[in-house]
Amino acid sequence: MAGLIIVGVDGNSTSMKAARVAAELAKAMGATLRVVTAFGEDRTEKVEIGNDEWFLSTADEAERVAQRVAEELKKSGVKTEYSSALGKPADVILEEATKLGASLIVVGNVRMQGLKRVLGSVANAISHNAPCDVYIVKTEG
């Protein structure tokens, strides 16, 4: 079964655990894995050292996180793509899944326990609003 699986990452160890599970699922299903990173604001900072100057952007950093994760997962033999977008993580993942016709979204269970589960989390928002199936990886607890 071919298709598209989307996983959101932010570079931390729990999102990497979800990404590895997503890669295993994509490989088993013959699907493409799309690694997505969201960023909350598009800021650019100018850094000057001596006569040199660089511009550092949150958008560029988010893109690098997604690319690094996609390249690492590609080593396991799964076809990967990556992207980043401005917005809240759940909104970015849901929009990407809808736009691309994803067959599955993989998320971790971070902050899905206790009071925080009621107040909201990325996994909670996605599980209630996804246009496709959702696989929740036990990444903590």
Side-chain angles (χ1 to χ4, degrees):
M1 170 186 179
L4 179 69
I5 296 176
I6 294 184
V7 64
V9 300
D10 60 10
N12 70 31
S13 61
T14 56
S15 73
M16 281 305 300
K17 185 173 182 181
R20 286 186 189 99
V21 170
E24 290 172 15
L25 290 169
K27 190 172 182 180
M29 295 170 59
T32 298
L33 178 63
R34 185 164 186 94
V35 178
V36 179
T37 301
F39 54 99
E41 59 182 328
D42 193 5
R43 266 191 357 252
T44 302
E45 294 182 33
K46 182 172 140 181
V47 177
E48 294 182 51
I49 300 175
N51 291 331
D52 295 327
E53 63 182 31
W54 293 276
F55 292 92
L56 306 175
S57 158
T58 52
D60 291 342
E61 180 57 29
E63 185 86 4
R64 280 191 294 275
V65 168
Q67 180 181 18
R68 180 177 44 83
V69 172
E71 288 175 356
E72 180 181 326
L73 297 174
K74 190 176 192 174
K75 294 175 187 174
S76 69
V78 66
K79 181 180 176 193
T80 62
E81 302 173 347
Y82 64 91
S83 65
S84 64
L86 176 65
K88 294 179 181 177
D91 294 342
V92 167
I93 292 167
L94 290 168
E95 184 177 314
E96 194 86 348
T98 301
K99 178 175 69 174
L100 299 174
S103 54
L104 182 68
I105 298 172
V106 177
V107 293
N109 72 333
V110 175
R111 294 183 295 281
M112 290 245 346
Q113 298 83 21
L115 184 58
K116 289 183 180 175
R117 179 180 55 136
V118 176
L119 298 175
S121 73
V122 173
N124 194 32
I126 288 173
S127 68
H128 285 93
N129 298 293
C132 58
D133 292 335
V134 177
Y135 186 99
I136 300 175
V137 177
K138 185 168 178 67
T139 56
E140 73 172 24

